[in-house]
Amino acid sequence: MRRFAEEWGRAVYPVSRTAMTRAEFEDSLVPLAARLRDALTADPFDAGAAREVGAELARAHCADPGALTAVLGVVDSSLLAHCPPGHGLDAEEARTRCSRLQHALAAGFACALRERTLAEQEALSRAALAAQAETERALHTSEARFRAVFEGAAIGVGIADVEGRIMDVNEALSRMFGTGPHEVKGRNVGELVHPEDSPEVWGLYRELVRGDRDYYRVEKPYYRGDGSVLWTDLSVALLRDAQGRPQYQLALMEDITERRLLHERLRYEATHDALTGLPNRTLFFERLDRALDAATGDVRFGLCYLDLDGFKAVNDSLGHAVGDRLLVAVGERLRSCATAPAELVARLGGDEFVALLTGEHALRDATALARRMLTALAEPVRLDGRDLSVRASIGIVEGAAGESGAAEVLRSADITMYRAKAAGGNRYELADADSDARAIARHSLTNRLPAALDNGEFFIEYQPLVRLTDGTVRGAEALVRWLHPVHGVLGPDQFIPLAENTGLIVPLGRWVLQEAARQARAWHSEAQYGEGPCRGPLRVNVNLSPTQLRWPSLVADTVLVLENAGLPPSALCLEVTENALIGADEEELRPLRQLADMGVDIALDDFGTGYSNLSYLRRLPVSTLKLDRSFTRGMQRAPADPVDVKIVEGIVSLAHTLDLSVTVEGVETGTQAEHLRMLGCDTAQGWYYARPGPPERMGTLSLVDAAS
């Protein structure tokens, strides 16, 4: 039976659908083979056992059409071979019984296979019906759930076809628009446009309905039924059919109107001045950057930088509250001057305002705007019963987009505005590249000044003061120079005003005084022993700036310098410009009186340029008048200018009457020197005698006509 089962298995296993291994399958066939053997030899003979074997094979997943043929072939060829006839059976009877067993096996196999097929079909039918019922229940549940979500959603939901026709909207969306659902349904999405729609919104929409995009999200405004604006956070998704073709568009809308208004309010507060309501520097720089970054250089811009003249006096005298009200009034007037859409007036801070415009004729328009602003400010502002006059200085810069950055443009405008102030104010000036370069150079020198003093970059040259009666050297004026590492030797006119503005003039002036006193002491020592080029006592003249004059420790510093140098006070002369003393009261003159009482000479420099009352000389603690060169130029050649002669003659007479000596600077010819000697001037200095130089050249006079 084992060998029969093995042959049976080899024939049937390849066409079976069992999950058993081949060995397991052959083991399952052994009892079936035994039943066929027993049925073959049973007495009386009954083929029913074979029918059951066929049914068993069908139930054992041997359901392939080829399986039955293989089974019958093995039974026909091997059953009698492995179960030889016996028990009184002859060969013919055994063959007949074998055939009947095959027929019965086939019948049982077919019957079982039919029953199994019917059962499977029934099961499939029941499963299909159950699945259909479940699908219908799920679809109903899904539709009910969708409808519940659709109707109860707090955000607006709308469905439209790919042609843009609105098919359905929920209650929330209707409330947003302030209309009923029937007023929205049937409309086309393309009708819901708004002027503030960005260009990309409808581009995204067209991509979606074409099927090139499945989703987009934007912020979009709509008009409500009452004409007000509804701002929404809009999300639109494309719904496709089973074949992937665009079928519907689903829109989700969230009302963000309040958030948008809050954002706009915060944006307004961040970009507008709280006092005047004008755009502030943040918004101004945004607009300026946009104008300068224009894609084409054909775009031109104009900028007016305005600063009020004398506004600090208003705050100091009337208070900041009045100053703020004045700024509000100024802001209103300037706002009214910006008549074109492309003109922006902003407040940068304090009393600084700026106007920006763009256009083909930017320079012409900016100049016209500056005139309008000056005209608007010309009428006094009335506050608390008083009229406050308003003056302003304006710097105008014009250029093409892409040529300069915002910082460079504003710097040029600022420099130009200060040129307008320096020219008297209440006017405008146009930007000039050379003026900007000079201002930048001055700024560079100002920044370098502190380090220059620490690094010993300053030195002093001396110009002899010659007694006109005998041509001997009476003293020398100390003239400070700056040996700049880049620009070379700079004269005092190039850096003294900068030092005056920054306050560095005090330590610089102290250093000049110390060096000059030390050099004067050296000359005194040389004269005492007859070793130097000079004979007799020499004094040194040192310039005193207005800031030094008001410095609290001026007297103490001067005394300390003289003591450290071992120099008598009479060897020092301090030169003070006439303008610095005009209008000075007794408190301001006290330091000079103290120094004069000590024996220090005080010279009134640039006399005649300050338009002071000559009687004012009676109360000044001065011992010398230093006549400005403008009065003596007419004497450089013979014959001398009679007007200049009369002026100098009168000044010398007045000075000598007041017991003051007279020094003339800027002497350049021998003729000029002779005229001044004859008019009674005491001392002189200038290129005729010697140019400023090192101290060892003090005794060497050139006596060369510099004017020739």
Side-chain angles (χ1 to χ4, degrees):
M1 291 299 99
R2 167 61 61 180
R3 287 194 300 272
F4 176 62
E6 289 176 358
E7 291 183 15
W8 202 356
R10 282 196 300 271
V12 177
Y13 186 76
V15 293
S16 68
R17 299 176 183 174
T18 180
M20 294 183 290
T21 64
R22 184 167 178 169
E24 293 172 340
F25 185 68
E26 290 175 356
D27 288 342
S28 69
L29 294 179
V30 172
L32 299 181
R35 291 170 68 180
L36 289 178
R37 177 199 61 192
D38 294 342
L40 179 66
T41 58
D43 188 19
F45 174 74
D46 184 5
R51 187 182 184 91
E52 294 176 1
V53 170
E56 287 291 334
L57 288 173
R59 287 191 287 269
H61 301 286
C62 294
D64 190 270
L68 181 59
T69 303
V71 170
L72 295 178
V74 171
V75 172
D76 183 59
S77 61
S78 300
L79 179 60
L80 293 179
H82 293 288
C83 304
H87 307 285
L89 287 177
D90 55 19
E92 185 64 27
E93 179 63 21
R95 175 58 58 187
T96 300
R97 287 188 176 188
C98 182
S99 296
R100 291 179 65 186
L101 289 176
Q102 292 179 56
H103 294 159
L105 188 148
F109 184 91
C111 183
L113 185 59
R114 184 176 64 253
E115 291 176 354
R116 177 182 170 180
T117 301
L118 291 174
E120 290 178 351
Q121 290 176 345
E122 180 65 23
L124 288 174
S125 178
R126 287 196 299 271
L129 291 174
Q132 181 180 0
E134 183 62 27
T135 301
E136 291 176 352
R137 284 195 300 272
L139 180 61
H140 177 76
T141 302
S142 176
E143 290 179 350
R145 187 182 300 116
F146 172 77
R147 180 54 58 180
V149 172
F150 184 82
E151 295 296 343
I155 63 174
V157 183
I159 300 176
D161 58 24
V162 291
E163 301 299 327
R165 186 173 59 87
I166 300 174
M167 303 171 62
D168 200 1
V169 296
N170 69 349
E171 184 64 27
L173 190 143
S174 299
R175 287 196 303 270
M176 286 184 193
F177 280 84
T179 60
H182 61 281
E183 297 181 48
V184 180
K185 290 181 182 180
R187 297 184 64 184
N188 194 282
V189 173
E191 300 174 14
L192 305 178
V193 296
H194 190 277
E196 293 189 37
D197 286 339
S198 62
E200 66 174 359
V201 169
W202 294 102
L204 293 172
Y205 173 77
R206 286 188 291 270
E207 290 179 10
L208 183 116
V209 296
R210 285 199 310 264
D212 298 337
R213 171 184 294 274
D214 288 326
Y215 172 83
Y216 70 85
R217 180 177 180 179
V218 294
E219 286 190 3
K220 181 182 175 352
Y222 294 94
Y223 283 116
R224 289 193 176 99
D226 58 2
S228 62
V229 176
L230 165 70
W231 274 95
T232 66
D233 184 347
L234 173 66
S235 300
V236 183
L238 180 65
L239 306 180
R240 300 175 183 268
D241 61 16
Q243 287 71 40
R245 293 188 296 267
Q247 190 171 19
Y248 302 108
Q249 45 182 317
L250 174 66
L252 305 178
M253 295 183 185
E254 181 183 0
D255 185 351
I256 60 169
T257 305
E258 291 187 6
R259 187 173 72 195
R260 180 82 181 195
L261 293 176
L262 176 60
H263 172 77
E264 290 178 354
R265 180 61 185 172
L266 294 176
R267 166 71 178 170
Y268 180 88
E269 292 178 355
T271 56
H272 286 75
D273 178 50
L275 179 64
T276 63
L278 291 173
N280 62 11
R281 64 185 305 115
T282 299
L283 182 55
F284 164 72
F285 275 106
E286 288 180 6
R287 291 282 296 272
L288 179 60
D289 288 338
R290 195 180 311 154
L292 297 179
D293 294 340
T296 171
D298 295 337
V299 176
R300 302 195 69 82
F301 71 91
L303 188 147
C304 299
Y305 194 104
L306 182 148
D307 186 88
L308 299 183
D309 298 333
F311 179 73
K312 184 176 183 299
V314 175
N315 277 339
D316 293 344
S317 59
L318 302 180
H320 287 274
V322 174
D324 287 347
R325 292 169 60 192
L326 179 61
L327 289 175
V328 171
V330 169
E332 291 176 353
R333 294 187 182 186
L334 296 181
R335 181 190 286 111
S336 67
C337 295
T339 56
E343 294 177 349
L344 171 75
V345 175
R347 181 189 178 208
L348 296 184
D351 60 338
E352 295 178 332
F353 298 83
V354 65
L356 175 67
L357 53 87
T358 56
E360 181 181 357
H361 306 290
L363 179 58
R364 182 195 66 190
D365 295 342
T367 304
L369 178 58
R371 291 196 191 101
R372 292 200 301 271
M373 290 193 292
L374 291 176
T375 301
L377 298 178
E379 184 179 351
V381 177
R382 189 163 187 82
L383 294 176
D384 297 335
R386 63 168 63 91
D387 290 334
L388 300 180
S389 62
V390 181
R391 293 163 51 92
S393 299
I394 302 175
I396 300 176
V397 176
E398 184 269 345
E403 289 182 349
S404 307
E408 185 179 353
V409 169
L410 206 64
R411 179 181 62 188
S412 178
D414 188 40
I415 292 171
T416 307
M417 180 270 294
Y418 276 106
R419 279 204 292 116
K421 278 188 180 294
N426 200 37
R427 57 183 292 155
Y428 65 83
E429 291 285 344
L430 301 180
D432 175 68
D434 293 338
S435 299
D436 289 357
R438 288 192 295 271
I440 294 171
R442 287 195 299 270
H443 179 72
S444 176
L445 292 178
T446 302
N447 288 339
R448 176 72 186 179
L449 273 171
L453 186 59
D454 295 338
N455 297 337
E457 296 176 9
F458 293 99
F459 66 97
I460 298 176
E461 290 185 331
Y462 298 88
Q463 187 173 38
L465 289 163
V466 178
R467 185 181 290 110
L468 287 173
T469 55
D470 57 10
T472 60
V473 177
R474 172 75 173 83
E477 182 179 1
L479 301 170
V480 63
R481 305 286 190 262
W482 181 3
L483 182 57
H484 195 281
V486 176
H487 303 294
V489 177
L490 303 178
D493 58 319
Q494 294 176 276
F495 62 86
I496 289 297
L498 306 180
E500 184 82 18
N501 292 336
T502 59
L504 193 67
I505 190 65
V506 173
L508 178 60
R510 187 184 299 116
W511 177 84
V512 172
L513 182 61
Q514 292 171 346
E515 289 298 306
R518 182 188 58 77
Q519 183 58 56
R521 178 66 235 176
W523 282 328
H524 275 254
S525 298
E526 292 171 357
Q528 182 179 358
Y529 296 104
E531 297 176 352
C534 304
R535 298 293 182 265
L538 287 176
R539 72 174 185 177
V540 64
N541 288 27
V542 177
N543 290 284
L544 198 65
S545 75
T547 300
Q548 290 176 278
L549 184 61
R550 294 189 294 269
W551 194 250
S553 61
L554 172 63
V555 176
D557 288 347
T558 304
V559 171
L560 182 61
V561 167
L562 293 174
E563 290 178 352
N564 291 340
L567 192 70
S570 59
L572 175 64
C573 177
L574 296 178
E575 296 187 8
V576 184
T577 63
E578 183 181 10
N579 288 330
L581 296 182
I582 291 178
D585 56 22
E586 284 302 316
E587 185 65 26
E588 293 172 312
L589 293 176
R590 181 179 300 170
L592 290 182
R593 292 196 187 281
Q594 293 176 350
L595 292 171
D597 292 342
M598 291 167 44
V600 175
D601 282 341
I602 307 297
L604 193 60
D605 197 10
D606 296 334
F607 181 77
T609 62
Y611 306 104
S612 61
N613 191 332
L614 294 179
S615 63
Y616 190 64
L617 292 172
R618 296 174 57 88
R619 52 185 295 267
L620 294 180
V622 298
S623 56
T624 301
L625 295 185
K626 199 165 185 182
L627 195 61
D628 186 72
R629 67 184 66 202
S630 62
F631 294 110
T632 64
R633 286 197 183 98
M635 303 180 188
Q636 290 182 353
R637 289 181 173 83
D641 186 328
V643 176
D644 285 353
V645 171
K646 288 296 184 182
I647 291 176
V648 173
E649 184 180 17
I651 293 176
V652 171
S653 175
L654 174 64
H656 288 170
T657 300
L658 296 175
D659 199 22
L660 303 175
S661 63
V662 177
T663 298
V664 182
E665 58 183 354
V667 179
E668 298 185 355
T669 68
T671 300
Q672 187 181 15
E674 180 60 22
H675 281 307
L676 294 172
R677 185 190 65 77
M678 293 176 60
L679 290 173
C681 295
D682 300 292
T683 55
Q685 68 184 93
W687 284 10
Y688 171 69
Y689 300 107
R691 299 194 179 200
E696 57 268 18
R697 285 171 44 191
M698 268 296 298
T700 304
L701 301 181
S702 59
L703 304 180
V704 175
D705 284 353
S708 63

